[in-house]
Amino acid sequence: MRLSMLMSLIRPTGPIIVGISLGFTLSLLSVTWVDESCDSNWTGATAEMLLAQPPGSLKGARKPSSISTGTHGNGNIEDEFEPRIVPYKKPSQQDPPKKVFRARYASTELGIREHLFVAVFSSKTTLNTLAVAINRTLKNHLDGRLIFFTPTRNRKLPHGMFVVAHEEERPVPNMFQSIRYLLEHHIAEYDWFYLGQDDTYTQPERLKTLVSHLSMDLLLYMGLPGEFIGGETQGKYCHGGPGFLLSRPLLLKLQPFLEHCRTDIISVRPDEWLGRCIIDYTGTSCVDEYQGLNYHSFSSFNLDLLTVDDDGFQTAITVHPVISAELMYRLHKQFSEIELQRTYEEIEKLQSEIKNVSEMAVDGNRSALWPIGIPPPFEPKSRFEVLRWDYFTEEHLFSCVDGAPKCQLIGADRDDVSEVIRVAMEELNKKYYPFVQMSAPRLVNGYRRFDHTRGMEYTLDLQLQATSESGHQKSIAHRVHLVRPLSQLEVIPMPYVTEATRVHVLLPLNSYESQVALRFLDHCSSNLFETGENAGLNLLFIYEPAEAQKVSSDDVFADVKAKAAAIEHRYPSVKVSWISIKTESSGIPRILDIISRKHPVDTLFLLVTADTILHSEFLNRCRMNAISGRQAFFPIHFQDFDPRVATPDQVSPVSPDLVREAGHFDRNIFEEACFYNSDYMSSRTQMAGDLQENEELLENLDLYDMFVQYSGLHVFRAVEPALRQAYRNRTCDPRLNEDVFHRCLQSTVEARGSRSQLAMLIFEQEQSNST
């Protein structure tokens, strides 16, 4: 009985006792094995193995938690590791802190360079003729950079060209200055350098194809080889007329000896001088072929050969000499037609290969997508991703921007529909020729949708007049499908902009806007000044002559000025400045003329109205979208609807959501704008000639029209969800020009409410009147 009771007490704790005992036993065994040193008196096979080891190479096994210290050269075990204490040295105030360099772009940090740099040698007499033709036929087709070297500086340079003048009339010093300029300014940015003359036509696509197949680390001097005069120098130089290629490693190798070439080599021809320099100091001779890649140039050219099918002309990269700019344009047209035809042939070849490969699939040719080579249609994952088909006819579109059920088909939409019908007729006649001739198309139904994976898709139901070979005619209905595929994407380089730029907010105020301006200042305080936004506020008080006379006794802007002073007292780092302007004019350009003179040319202006609600998010987009010398930004704000119409039986929210029932993006108003002072001043300078003929131009022209007509900038117009305007029953100034006044009226009407809200309001009024 006692034994059974004892066993019942031990049984629950038995596994614990066994586990503890086993753990102690294993730990003791492990410590004994680790601490045991190697014994050289071992016998048998173990002793034989140890005899093969060098003396002193045996050590005791190391503990798992210890640090291996290795051995000395004599085989003895090193001393215990002693950490080295590095004392902290307080930086001296005299030593300036080292500034860590961080590249602006990832390509700079990774050492990625552009592929091709093109330099063209011009002269004073041909800079405005042949050089302009080179710029128009070459610049837009290059992925790299194009500059022009000229020996003398012209007073009037052609627009859109980068010209470097060396002030050196002699050809050889001019070549020396050009090579040194490339080494000093562009050697770190490009892999290949092409040098040519302005009387040489260069086919850009063939030049880019040649360079793309050459390795960037070659010591290559490629062009049309020529023999040196006298034959003393071994090797050949590249003629300058047909142009030649220089690799970046070759120029880097030549750089230390360029000054020696200038003093030691005597030559009257710049291309021969450069060839001697390259051969003497780099050992590289001019070649016209490298690993199957050829540099072809066509030299025996005249006007009659434009239509001749010559092998040399068909494969030429350059044509020299070209005696006139007109001939340069004709050459470019001819070469472009050749390249376009080759592209079509290559497309047909690829389509045939796709058809042949698709026959090996399980479904045969049915597995090939239409059109061949175009990505497949987008497959929606849910009902929210289904692409919408828009219905249209030749006169109307039934999916309008403003939400109307029907609108007139005008502008680009009308041109698009006309072109699609024309292409459909051409393809039908090409398919059924000569058996049937199609004519007199009439669009019965039209559908289109934009697929972001492949392009614009069309489905057309056409009523056609079909004429057979025998002359029999019949009216038939035919459905066709067309796709306008997306072209190759192009990355447009843009200048670097930063979000640290200070924004100067300009608020023009009339006397009837003084109360609204108080609300604007409250929004600025909470949204900008409390968050420490890098922005300044400039209030422009516009006084009429009668109001200006009573400023000392009855200032219409007294409350606004007091509010501005209170804001400056509350936020010491904020500066709210104001300017009083006495004028009868309502034109914004006249007011901006005064402000522009008081600020530096690099000032970023943000023009707003008293109804505008600003946020930090929009100010950042203002900084990013306004680019000095390149772009002005005119955002499309979100206009709140009249709360009496949008929410008649509800309390209007303080900040309504960005939904269709709360408001709309007002495309009729151009009151907000982001631009640089330098761009505004340049636009006003361009207006000087027209102002002499029409003195009222400043009154009739708003800021948007002025930038479009006179600035030469890209005027960027886009919806801005972070920019809002609260609803206010405004009245349009009748002194505005007709177009601006009409846009103001249209904006005021559309700000009342949506069509459905206005319809419901009319319905409720009719119901109440009937009862």
Side-chain angles (χ1 to χ4, degrees):
M1 187 69 177
R2 293 179 180 178
L3 182 61
S4 60
M5 292 178 63
L6 182 63
M7 292 297 295
S8 62
L9 293 174
I10 295 176
R11 186 178 292 110
T13 60
I16 299 176
I17 297 174
V18 173
I20 294 175
S21 302
L22 184 61
F24 275 115
T25 304
L26 293 176
S27 65
L28 290 175
L29 291 175
S30 175
V31 170
T32 303
W33 178 79
V34 168
D35 289 339
E36 184 177 340
S37 60
C38 298
D39 191 356
S40 61
N41 294 326
W42 287 357
T43 59
T46 305
E48 294 178 0
M49 295 173 60
L50 294 176
L51 289 175
Q53 303 293 333
S57 63
L58 301 178
K59 295 189 299 181
R62 179 173 58 89
K63 294 182 180 181
S65 59
S66 64
I67 300 176
S68 176
T69 59
T71 59
H72 289 293
N74 56 5
N76 298 327
I77 300 177
E78 290 181 347
D79 298 335
E80 292 294 330
F81 173 76
E82 295 183 1
R84 182 170 62 93
I85 300 176
V86 180
Y88 172 73
K89 181 180 178 181
K90 187 176 181 180
S92 175
Q93 295 181 355
Q94 298 179 355
D95 300 335
K98 295 183 179 180
K99 185 177 180 181
V100 179
F101 173 76
R102 187 71 180 180
R104 177 178 293 178
Y105 303 103
S107 59
T108 305
E109 193 162 323
L110 297 176
I112 301 174
R113 294 180 293 271
E114 297 290 340
H115 219 47
L116 181 62
F117 183 93
V118 177
V120 178
F121 296 95
S122 184
S123 63
K124 183 178 181 180
T125 58
T126 60
L127 183 61
N128 291 284
T129 55
L130 289 175
V132 171
I134 287 285
N135 185 66
R136 291 179 178 177
T137 58
L138 192 59
K139 181 179 179 180
N140 294 332
H141 301 274
L142 287 177
D143 298 330
R145 180 76 178 274
L146 172 63
I147 69 171
F148 293 86
F149 291 121
T150 179
T152 56
R153 186 180 301 276
N154 290 11
R155 292 183 178 180
K156 185 176 181 181
L157 296 176
H159 180 69
M161 294 172 55
F162 189 83
V163 181
V164 178
H166 296 312
E167 303 294 343
E168 182 60 62
E169 294 286 348
R170 293 173 297 172
V172 173
N174 187 28
M175 174 66 76
F176 166 78
Q177 295 288 348
S178 300
I179 298 297
R180 189 173 68 174
Y181 179 88
L182 297 179
L183 289 169
E184 291 177 354
H185 295 87
H186 302 289
I187 194 64
E189 304 172 4
Y190 295 90
D191 292 323
W192 290 94
F193 296 84
Y194 170 78
L195 281 71
Q197 298 178 180
D198 60 358
D199 61 345
T200 302
Y201 171 78
T202 304
Q203 217 294 324
E205 299 300 330
R206 297 179 188 178
L207 179 62
K208 290 192 297 183
T209 302
L210 172 64
V211 172
S212 64
H213 288 83
L214 294 173
S215 178
M216 66 181 68
D217 59 350
L218 295 175
L219 289 173
L220 190 60
Y221 179 32
M222 195 173 192
L224 188 63
E227 297 287 347
F228 287 99
I229 299 175
E232 298 178 357
T233 305
Q234 298 295 327
K236 298 181 179 180
Y237 72 97
C238 290
H239 284 288
F244 52 89
L245 275 172
L246 297 173
S247 64
R248 179 175 179 270
L250 180 66
L251 286 176
L252 288 175
K253 190 174 182 180
L254 184 66
Q255 186 174 11
F257 312 103
L258 192 61
E259 191 67 29
H260 297 285
C261 293
R262 185 177 68 90
T263 57
D264 298 344
I265 299 177
I266 300 175
S267 179
V268 295
R269 296 184 54 181
D271 50 0
E272 186 176 343
W273 172 84
L274 181 62
R276 287 179 182 272
C277 182
I278 293 175
I279 292 174
D280 291 348
Y281 293 99
T282 66
T284 305
S285 181
C286 177
V287 296
D288 61 352
E289 187 273 336
Y290 181 80
Q291 294 185 353
L293 300 173
N294 296 281
Y295 188 96
H296 294 290
S297 181
F298 193 76
S299 57
S300 59
F301 184 79
N302 57 56
L303 291 174
D304 299 332
L305 291 178
L306 274 174
T307 58
V308 175
D309 188 11
D310 189 278
D311 292 338
F313 182 72
Q314 294 288 331
T315 59
I317 296 177
T318 62
V319 176
H320 176 80
V322 182
I323 59 177
S324 65
E326 179 186 359
L327 185 57
M328 190 81 69
Y329 297 133
R330 294 180 62 186
L331 275 170
H332 186 66
K333 180 177 182 295
Q334 183 73 9
F335 273 103
S336 299
E337 291 176 353
I338 295 174
E339 293 299 318
L340 188 62
Q341 185 62 32
R342 289 179 179 176
T343 303
Y344 286 146
E345 293 174 357
E346 186 177 354
I347 291 174
E348 292 179 359
K349 181 180 178 181
L350 292 175
Q351 289 178 343
S352 300
E353 292 179 359
I354 294 174
K355 288 181 181 179
N356 296 334
V357 172
S358 63
E359 291 180 356
M360 307 301 294
V362 177
D363 297 334
N365 287 330
R366 290 181 298 177
S367 62
L369 297 171
W370 179 88
I372 298 175
I374 303 298
F378 172 73
E379 295 183 0
K381 302 296 188 297
S382 65
R383 63 186 181 91
F384 301 104
E385 298 179 357
V386 176
L387 301 180
R388 184 188 67 182
W389 285 91
D390 298 330
Y391 180 77
F392 62 89
T393 62
E394 293 186 62
E395 292 81 19
H396 295 92
L397 184 65
F398 292 84
S399 55
C400 306
V401 177
D402 58 356
K406 179 181 178 182
C407 56
Q408 196 75 19
L409 192 65
I410 57 175
D413 290 323
R414 190 177 187 85
D415 296 338
D416 177 57
V417 172
S418 301
E419 185 180 4
V420 168
I421 296 175
R422 179 184 58 81
V423 172
M425 290 298 299
E426 291 178 357
E427 295 297 326
L428 288 174
N429 286 322
K430 186 187 302 184
K431 180 178 181 180
Y432 296 110
Y433 180 83
F435 306 104
V436 179
Q437 181 71 24
M438 303 292 184
S439 61
R442 185 177 65 86
L443 181 62
V444 181
N445 299 302
Y447 308 89
R448 69 177 182 181
R449 72 172 183 179
F450 179 72
D451 190 336
H452 59 275
T453 61
R454 50 193 272 145
M456 186 71 79
E457 299 180 0
Y458 303 87
T459 299
L460 307 180
D461 293 332
L462 298 174
Q463 192 72 28
L464 306 170
Q465 189 72 22
T467 305
S468 63
E469 289 182 293
S470 59
H472 179 69
Q473 294 186 350
K474 182 180 179 181
S475 180
I476 62 173
H478 196 77
R479 168 167 284 193
V480 295
H481 301 276
L482 300 95
V483 175
R484 188 192 297 271
L486 294 173
S487 60
Q488 184 178 2
L489 298 179
E490 179 183 0
V491 178
I492 301 176
M494 294 296 289
Y496 177 78
V497 293
T498 176
E499 294 184 359
T501 306
R502 183 173 179 83
V503 179
H504 292 261
V505 182
L506 304 180
L507 177 61
L509 289 174
N510 291 291
S511 58
Y512 56 84
E513 295 177 317
S514 58
Q515 295 302 319
V516 186
L518 298 176
R519 185 178 61 185
F520 175 86
L521 293 176
D522 290 334
H523 287 303
C524 287
S525 299
S526 58
N527 298 338
L528 303 182
F529 300 148
E530 286 186 3
T531 58
E533 186 66 35
N534 187 16
L537 181 58
N538 298 267
L539 303 177
L540 314 178
F541 299 126
I542 303 174
Y543 289 91
E544 301 235 351
E547 297 170 344
Q549 295 177 358
K550 299 184 295 182
V551 170
S552 58
S553 60
D554 184 15
D555 190 356
V556 293
F557 296 107
D559 295 340
V560 181
K561 293 178 180 179
K563 185 78 171 180
I567 291 176
E568 285 186 334
H569 180 73
R570 182 178 179 183
Y571 306 101
S573 60
V574 175
K575 178 63 177 177
V576 181
S577 59
W578 66 72
I579 298 177
S580 298
I581 303 172
K582 175 185 174 182
T583 179
E584 295 180 356
S585 171
S586 59
I588 291 296
R590 287 193 181 276
I591 300 173
L592 292 180
D593 287 346
I594 302 174
I595 300 299
S596 178
R597 302 190 197 101
K598 298 180 179 296
H599 289 81
V601 294
D602 59 346
T603 303
L604 175 59
F605 287 139
L606 168 58
L607 184 65
V608 296
T609 66
D611 299 310
T612 305
I613 302 175
L614 294 177
H615 294 278
S616 298
E617 182 181 353
F618 167 66
L619 260 62
N620 286 332
R621 274 197 282 272
C622 175
R623 298 183 180 104
M624 303 301 290
N625 291 326
I627 305 173
S628 179
R630 295 291 294 271
Q631 182 171 282
F633 180 39
F634 284 79
I636 302 175
H637 66 256
F638 186 81
Q639 177 65 58
D640 293 341
F641 284 147
D642 187 352
R644 296 173 299 177
V645 177
T647 56
D649 300 328
Q650 303 175 8
V651 179
S652 300
V654 178
S655 57
D657 296 331
L658 206 70
V659 294
R660 183 183 302 176
E661 294 76 15
H664 73 112
F665 287 102
D666 194 351
R667 293 175 171 84
N668 297 306
I669 295 299
F670 301 83
E671 294 175 332
E672 292 94 359
C674 295
F675 56 92
Y676 278 87
N677 191 19
S678 58
D679 296 332
Y680 175 79
M681 296 171 65
S682 176
S683 302
R684 288 288 285 111
T685 304
Q686 297 295 327
M687 290 178 61
D690 293 342
L691 280 175
Q692 294 178 357
E693 301 177 0
N694 183 10
E695 297 181 355
E696 297 181 356
L697 185 61
L698 287 179
E699 311 297 333
N700 299 329
L701 205 66
D702 65 350
L703 188 63
Y704 175 78
D705 294 332
M706 189 189 78
F707 269 100
V708 170
Q709 297 181 24
Y710 298 101
S711 68
L713 305 177
H714 175 252
V715 181
F716 183 44
R717 181 93 166 131
V719 295
E720 180 50 62
L723 185 65
R724 306 183 67 125
Q725 273 203 11
Y727 174 78
R728 179 166 61 95
N729 188 12
R730 298 186 301 173
T731 57
C732 298
D733 193 344
R735 295 175 295 179
L736 299 172
N737 68 71
E738 185 177 355
D739 293 337
V740 178
F741 183 71
H742 175 72
R743 291 200 300 256
C744 179
L745 290 178
Q746 187 70 19
S747 172
T748 305
V749 171
E750 293 180 356
R752 297 290 185 183
S754 64
R755 292 175 179 269
S756 59
Q757 293 169 350
L758 293 172
M760 183 59 68
L761 185 62
I762 295 174
F763 176 75
E764 292 176 355
Q765 290 179 354
E766 291 180 350
Q767 290 291 327
S768 61
N769 294 334
S770 62
T771 57

